[in-house]
Amino acid sequence: MTTTGDDHTEARSGPWWWERRRGAVLDWSLALVSALECGVEGYPFAQDAGIPTAAGVVFGVVAGSTLLVRRMWPVAVVLVSIAISPAQMGLLLTVVGLYTMAASELPRRIIAALAGMSLVGTLVVTFVRARQDMTHGEIGLSFGDWFVPFISITASLGVTAPPLLLGLYVGARRRLMESLRERADSLERELQLLAERAEERAEWARNEERTRIAREMHDVVAHRVSLMVVHAAALQAVARKDPEKAVKNAALVGDMGRQALTELREMLGVLRTGDGAGRGERASVPLAAVGAAAAAAASRAAVDTGEGPCLSELDELVGQSAAAGMVVDLSVEGEARGYAPEVEQTAYRVVQEALTNVHKHAAGAKTYVRLAHRVSEIAMQVENEPPPEVGSASSARLPSGGNGLVGMKERVVGLGGVFVSGPTDAGGFRVSAVIPAS
């Protein structure tokens, strides 16, 4: 985009008060012509006034040279032209002075007053000169009494009106162009500001989408993988003592691994080549598409029917943890009812992630899951007792990325709820959340 004001605000290249060199050349040329005109007209003026001819010529040259300062002091040029009008000199000075004054930024009342003075002065001088010529018989033709006023008004209007109107038009056009240029510059600055804000919003959206993808992938994979590790540890412990239980645990590990792989394929499938794209060509995949795929896969983490997780599946979720060796006590208060899908999914995820954390950090500890259906909200709490001895066989030594609690809090707060987590006085850990029902 080209900056509109660059050409207008270019550096001054002219001397003194001129912005450009060509303006200085024009004014010097006009001043020279005006000085020659007034100098020539100063000769008859000196004869009529009875003063030395040289004085009249010098007076005319000095008066005509005032056009040199017309851009800086247009009022002074007009006043000089009015002052020398009785001497019948300075036609070019009058015309150019009126034009410059009308095109300037002077108040309209000053322009009108000086233009009126010039008009009256020209009218009076022309009237007196025409009357003298008719009286002395210098005009050979015989006219009536109407001729002198007619020629006086016509001459004064002809000298005053055209440069005045042209100057007003040029000044108005110049001011309009300045206004449009300033408006264009202002619009350009606003567009640049909007572009910067758009980049900031896009960066913020990308960061939010990355956070969403990380949260959804964590919710989808972490729970199943954690259970797989727990079952694998149990399988290692009972492989020789109880082969039947070992076979059962191995089957559970296989099922959970297949489900985890299926969900990962769904989330990462959007990164592959799009339909109709040839080999070596990668489809442009927005980050939002990855997040949407992750959310869709996360909504199918608990069941194989393609529907999102809901509170009615908490029994199955608790059963999976119980099958992995955890002692879980589930209690539900209030009458169960339908909630918005995002509310049920968030409540399910909170319980799921809290159970996953128990597997990671307190394997073998007894856990209490409480769910309360209230009038305008739904509350859930997952609390575990202190874990058994650190060196017990139930410890699977699962790694932790530190994203589980952060993801739970983001989900709950995003729906306008309250999330609290922390250790208990008894040495366990408690996760509590309250989510508005609507």
Side-chain angles (χ1 to χ4, degrees), residues 225-244:
V225 174
S226 298
L227 290 179
M228 288 172 59
V229 175
V230 171
H231 281 293
L235 177 62
Q236 183 181 6
V238 302
R240 296 180 179 179
K241 298 179 182 179
D242 192 348
E244 183 178 352

Side-chain angles (χ1 to χ4, degrees), residues 137-352:
E138 295 182 3
I139 301 178
L141 299 177
S142 177
F143 297 98
D145 296 336
W146 58 269
F147 177 75
V148 174
F150 172 77
I151 194 66
S152 302
I153 295 174
T154 303
S156 58
L157 288 176
V159 171
T160 306
L164 182 66
L165 296 177
L166 180 61
L168 291 174
Y169 167 75
V170 172
R173 184 176 180 275
R174 184 183 301 161
R175 286 187 289 272
L176 176 62
M177 295 300 294
E178 290 287 341
S179 175
L180 293 177
R181 191 177 289 111
E182 291 177 359
R183 185 175 181 182
D185 291 340
S186 176
L187 289 175
E188 184 176 5
R189 287 191 295 270
E190 292 179 4
L191 288 176
Q192 292 177 350
L193 181 60
L194 290 175
E196 293 175 357
R197 291 181 177 177
E199 291 179 359
E200 293 176 358
R201 287 194 296 268
E203 183 63 26
W204 175 84
R206 284 192 292 268
N207 293 334
E208 288 293 315
E209 204 59 43
R210 291 190 186 99
T211 303
R212 178 189 174 194
I213 293 171
R215 182 171 63 244
E216 299 294 351
M217 292 185 68
H218 180 275
D219 291 340
V220 168
V221 179
H223 181 70
R224 295 196 187 279
V225 174
S226 298
L227 290 179
M228 288 172 59
V229 175
V230 171
H231 281 293
L235 177 62
Q236 183 181 6
V238 302
R240 296 180 179 179
K241 298 179 182 179
D242 192 348
E244 183 178 352
K245 187 174 182 180
V247 171
K248 183 180 178 180
N249 286 341
L252 288 175
V253 171
D255 291 340
M256 292 179 183
R258 283 187 290 271
Q259 292 174 0
L261 287 175
T262 300
E263 292 158 3
L264 281 174
R265 291 192 188 100
E266 292 176 354
M267 285 186 292
L268 303 178
V270 294
L271 297 177
R272 298 178 179 177
T273 305
D275 295 338
R279 290 186 178 181
E281 295 179 358
R282 293 181 176 268
S284 177
V285 180
L287 194 59
V290 182
S299 67
R300 296 191 292 272
V303 293
D304 297 326
T305 60
E307 298 178 357
C310 57
L311 294 176
S312 62
E313 300 163 7
L314 280 182
D315 291 334
E316 182 181 353
L317 180 65
V318 171
Q320 293 176 353
S321 295
M326 180 188 296
V327 180
V328 187
D329 181 16
L330 173 63
S331 63
V332 180
E333 300 178 3
E335 183 179 355
R337 61 184 187 276
Y339 299 98
E342 59 271 15
V343 174
E344 294 210 13
Q345 292 177 17
T346 299
Y348 181 93
R349 294 300 184 197
V350 169
V351 177
Q352 182 188 55

